[in-house]
């Protein structure tokens, strides 16, 4: 499949310079006669182009998800003629360009404006001593070309480009939605998107829908065309050879676990479900996943098949595939944008507020300053808990953290891969969630305060987070919904930049 991690932002640098054709002085120009010649200006322009090109490469060239195209040097003169032929020359290959990165150090605003009008591409201006970014962005905004931005620092430029890439990621996102009733209003997530078409229009995210029974019936090794749910059709049931591969993956998961407390046959069933989900992602050309939970549970099929989606989500997260529990579209999209901006796997769960703090919460594993375990939680602390952790929270290419393999259920089925958040105490996180109407987004910073549920079973692996103001967070969360995904690191500013590009109202908490 086309993994969202592979999406790159194509950046076309343009360096504008300005040369005077004649020797003269006036209100805009004064100096030694030798510095007023055309030859002097031409030499200066070449040096400027070389210097600016080197600066762009130094600032952005090592960022693997940015694709820097060949820089273009556009030299203008004091005839102030913005010829259409020059604009066409500048616009050549614009279909492959996602954003123009503009260095403008003199009087050449009109060409940048005309390029924006011609290509309708975003324009990011690098920091400059000259007022060209202010002039040009104001001119573009006044003409309805709002996607142009000036910046005070290269850090701001990088954040802007990260946000533009994240928007491209969302536009490349195609979610395989495995449901039961085929409706936004379902037992899994009533705070789901109200109107999927609005999501397509605003974010560019697309959805492909499948049925939970068709999915489950394809988790059994069968000959193609022998599936009774889809009789005579070629299906995605695993072959004998694929079952051998599934067995190898199962054994590898066991070998790398700190402990495995689930029977191999039951673990194999959950691994098979993940393997079939990946086959469906490939077949339907999708790169994200969401599946029903209570709706599927109520059919008793999961009980009969002895599996849950938990391990499927965990393995997806480690591969950079947004994968949402409970058929939660807003969570899936929020995970995609956080993953795109944070460049790490994300975690989702029930985001709850401990109104019973001080009454004793078994298993919270709070520690005081001396390291003694206590049960009372401090103020402005919330919890996010599910059973879909990944050992790669610190980065896709970082060493895996320890994990346990345990069943979700008391009777021993439904594999969960369980990681401990306790060692990450003090880790900064960024959280966000898009609301059901796809018009608002909750954005917050937090710090890991502790972990819970590592040795437990069920939907209980939790991370406790210190946040700025619990009441403020709660009131804004009530506008957006339950699961508020998180990613390690600080990409708060980038989320807000992206929200502005998408026309989302930002609820900062």
């Amino acid at each position: 499949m086309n993994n969202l991690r592979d999406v790159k932002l194509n950046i076309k640098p343009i360096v504008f310079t300005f040369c005077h054709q004649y020797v003269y002085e006036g209100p805009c120009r004064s100096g030694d006669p030798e510095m007023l010649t055309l030859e002097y200006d031409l030499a200066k322009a070449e040096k400027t182009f070389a210097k600016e090109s080197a600066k762009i490469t130094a600032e952005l060239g090592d960022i693997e998800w940015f694709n820097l195209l060949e820089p273009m040097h556009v030299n203008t003169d004091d005839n102030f003629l913005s010829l259409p032929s020059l604009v066409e020359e500048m616009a050549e290959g614009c279909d492959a360009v996602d954003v123009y990165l503009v260095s403008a150090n003199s009087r050449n605003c009109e060409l940048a404006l005309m390029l924006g009008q011609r290509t309708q591409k975003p324009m990011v201006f690098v920091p400059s001593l000259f007022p060209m970014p202010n002039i040009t962005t104001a001119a573009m905004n006044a003409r309805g070309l709002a996607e142009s931005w000036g910046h005070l620092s290269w850090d701001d430029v990088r954040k802007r480009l990260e946000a533009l890439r994240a928007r491209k990621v969302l536009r490349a996102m195609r979610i395989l939605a495995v449901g039961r009733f085929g409706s936004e209003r379902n037992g899994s997530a009533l705070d789901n998107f109200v109107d999927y078409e609005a999501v397509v229009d605003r974010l560019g995210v697309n959805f492909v829908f499948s049925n939970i029974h068709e999915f489950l019936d394809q988790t059994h090794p069968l000959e193609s065309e022998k599936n009774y749910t889809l009789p005579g059709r070629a299906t995605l049931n695993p072959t004998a050879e694929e079952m051998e591969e599934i067995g190898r993956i199962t054994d590898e998961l066991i070998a790398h676990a700190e402990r495995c407390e689930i029977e191999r046959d039951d673990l194999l069933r959950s691994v098979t479900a993940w393997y079939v989900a990946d086959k469906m992602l490939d077949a339907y050309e999708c790169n994200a996943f969401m599946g029903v939970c209570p709706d599927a549970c109520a059919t008793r099929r999961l009980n009969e098949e002895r599996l849950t989606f938990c391990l499927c989500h965990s393995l997806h997260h480690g591969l950079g595939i947004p994968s949402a529990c409970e058929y939660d579209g807003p969570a899936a999209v929020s995970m995609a944008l956080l993953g795109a901006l944070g460049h790490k796997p994300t975690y989702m769960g029930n985001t709850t507020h401990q109104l019973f703090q001080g009454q004793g919460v078994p298993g919270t594993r709070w520690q005081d300053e001396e390291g003694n375990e206590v049960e009372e939680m401090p103020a402005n602390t919330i919890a996010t808990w599910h059973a879909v952790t990944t050992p790669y929270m610190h980065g896709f290419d970082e060493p895996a953290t320890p994990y346990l393999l345990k069943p979700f259920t008391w009777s021993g089925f439904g594999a969960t891969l369980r990681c401990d958040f306790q060692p990450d105490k003090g880790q900064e996180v960024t959280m966000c969630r898009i609301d059901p109407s796809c018009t608002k987004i909750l954005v917050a910073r937090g710090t890991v305060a502790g972990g819970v549920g590592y040795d437990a079973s069920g939907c209980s692996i939790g991370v406790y987070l210190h946040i700025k103001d619990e009441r403020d967070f709660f009131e804004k969360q009530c506008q957006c919904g339950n699961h508020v995904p998180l990613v390690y690191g600080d990409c708060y500013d980038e989320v807000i930049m992206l929200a502005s590009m998408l026309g989302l109202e930002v609820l900062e908490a």
Side-chain angles (χ1 to χ4, degrees):
M1 73 197 75
N2 178 24
N3 194 300
L4 294 174
R5 288 176 60 195
D6 299 329
V7 174
K8 293 183 183 293
L9 186 73
N10 296 322
I11 304 167
K12 180 67 174 179
I14 296 185
V15 179
F16 286 102
T17 56
F18 187 88
C19 292
H20 299 82
Q21 297 295 301
Y22 307 98
V23 177
Y24 61 92
E25 291 186 300
C28 301
R29 190 183 192 210
S30 180
D32 188 304
E34 290 184 3
M35 299 174 62
L36 302 178
T37 64
L38 175 61
E39 291 73 21
Y40 181 90
D41 274 4
L42 287 171
K44 182 180 177 182
E46 289 300 326
K47 289 180 182 178
T48 298
F49 175 64
K51 179 182 177 181
E52 290 297 296
S53 298
K55 179 66 174 175
I56 290 167
T57 300
E59 294 288 350
L60 305 175
D62 292 336
I63 301 177
E64 61 182 280
W65 43 89
F66 292 166
N67 180 28
L68 276 181
L69 304 174
E70 188 69 26
M72 177 184 292
H73 183 192
V74 179
N75 196 23
T76 58
D77 60 41
D78 51 358
N79 288 313
F80 294 108
L81 291 176
S82 299
L83 299 174
S85 57
L86 181 54
V87 175
E88 287 303 314
E89 182 181 335
M90 293 166 57
E92 185 176 353
C94 65
D95 288 345
V97 174
D98 294 316
V99 56
Y100 288 102
L101 185 69
V102 181
S103 171
N105 291 293
S106 193
R107 302 279 181 184
N108 30 44
C109 303
E110 189 177 15
L111 272 176
L113 170 62
M114 291 177 69
L115 180 64
Q117 290 174 318
R118 163 66 177 80
T119 64
Q120 300 293 308
K121 299 285 185 177
M123 304 191 81
V124 169
F125 287 83
V126 305
S128 172
L129 291 174
F130 292 88
M132 297 308 108
N134 320 36
I135 296 171
T136 312
T137 53
M140 288 182 167
N141 291 337
R143 290 163 175 79
L145 299 172
E147 295 217 311
S148 62
W149 303 274
H151 299 88
L152 290 173
S153 70
W154 275 97
D155 186 51
D156 289 340
V157 170
R158 277 186 290 274
K159 289 178 179 179
R160 182 72 61 187
L161 294 173
E162 290 276 10
L164 284 165
R165 176 186 173 267
R167 183 175 66 177
K168 185 177 181 180
V169 165
L170 293 183
R171 290 174 176 176
M173 189 179 188
R174 191 169 153 94
I175 303 175
L176 174 61
V178 178
R180 179 185 173 194
F181 296 118
S183 169
E184 298 85 354
R185 181 178 290 184
N186 60 76
S188 288
L190 190 61
D191 52 359
N192 202 345
F193 287 125
V194 174
D195 182 356
Y196 286 114
E197 291 302 321
V199 181
V200 176
D201 291 342
R202 182 179 292 275
L203 307 182
V205 175
N206 280 282
F207 298 82
V208 177
F209 299 94
S210 186
N211 179 270
I212 184 64
H213 296 292
E214 286 190 11
F215 175 87
L216 292 173
D217 286 338
Q218 292 181 88
T219 61
H220 299 278
L222 284 175
E223 254 182 83
S224 186
E225 304 179 6
K226 300 293 185 181
N227 187 318
Y228 60 84
T229 303
L230 299 164
R233 296 188 65 86
T235 57
L236 299 172
N237 295 78
T239 64
E241 292 79 10
E242 288 173 329
M243 287 305 301
E244 290 182 9
E245 173 69 4
I246 290 167
R248 185 195 65 77
I249 295 169
T250 301
D251 292 334
E252 192 171 286
L253 284 170
I254 294 171
H256 287 92
E258 277 198 325
R259 297 197 311 275
C260 178
E261 299 179 8
I262 182 172
E263 294 295 327
R264 183 182 184 278
D265 284 349
D266 282 314
L267 176 60
L268 183 77
R269 290 174 184 268
S270 289
V271 174
T272 304
W274 164 75
Y275 195 92
V276 171
D278 263 23
K279 288 185 73 173
M280 291 182 73
L281 290 173
D282 278 333
Y284 301 160
E285 298 185 3
C286 293
N287 45 30
F289 182 83
M290 64 189 202
V292 284
C293 194
D295 298 7
C297 189
T299 67
R300 298 194 75 254
R301 287 295 304 275
L302 299 182
N303 184 83
E304 295 300 310
E305 302 289 348
R306 294 185 66 81
L307 61 86
T308 64
F309 279 123
C310 303
L311 184 68
C312 180
H313 297 311
S314 287
L315 296 180
H316 278 163
H317 295 164
L319 295 170
I321 300 169
S323 196
C325 310
E326 300 183 60
Y327 207 71
D328 190 341
V333 175
S334 301
M335 294 168 81
L337 72 87
L338 283 175
L341 294 170
H343 307 286
K344 299 180 185 72
T346 55
Y347 184 65
M348 68 163 288
N350 300 310
T351 303
T352 54
H353 301 255
Q354 306 298 329
L355 302 178
F356 44 84
Q357 66 172 298
Q359 299 177 19
V361 185
T364 55
R365 300 180 64 193
W366 286 105
Q367 294 181 353
D368 60 21
E369 295 302 319
E370 286 74 40
N372 302 309
E373 290 195 4
V374 295
E375 290 185 341
E376 184 172 342
M377 291 174 292
N380 296 321
T381 302
I382 61 174
T384 289
W385 47 277
H386 253 185
V388 291
T389 51
T390 172
Y392 297 100
M393 286 295 293
H394 291 279
F396 295 105
D397 300 320
E398 296 298 316
T401 56
Y403 65 87
L404 303 181
L405 293 170
K406 294 175 71 74
F408 187 95
T409 65
W410 180 86
S411 58
F413 73 83
T416 63
L417 189 156
R418 310 177 80 83
C419 301
D420 191 3
F421 287 100
Q422 189 71 17
D424 294 336
K425 191 174 179 180
Q427 168 68 55
E428 189 172 25
V429 305
T430 306
M431 309 174 72
C432 79
R433 179 180 173 85
I434 295 175
D435 85 312
S437 69
C438 197
T439 61
K440 302 175 185 176
I441 184 169
L442 167 66
V443 189
R445 286 187 176 100
T447 305
V448 174
V452 65
Y454 183 57
D455 294 308
S457 60
C459 214
S460 57
I461 309 170
V463 53
Y464 289 90
L465 301 163
H466 291 315
I467 57 172
K468 183 171 65 175
D469 186 327
E470 181 181 4
R471 181 171 295 279
D472 180 58
F473 186 104
F474 177 72
E475 289 174 353
K476 289 169 180 173
Q477 187 189 356
C478 284
Q479 299 182 54
C480 293
N482 172 25
H483 304 127
V484 184
L486 63 89
V487 69
Y488 280 7
D490 182 6
C491 55
Y492 185 92
D493 293 341
E494 293 91 323
V495 175
I496 291 176
M497 284 184 179
L498 175 61
S500 175
M501 294 174 190
L502 298 173
L504 297 173
E505 177 187 350
V506 178
L507 307 177
E508 297 187 62

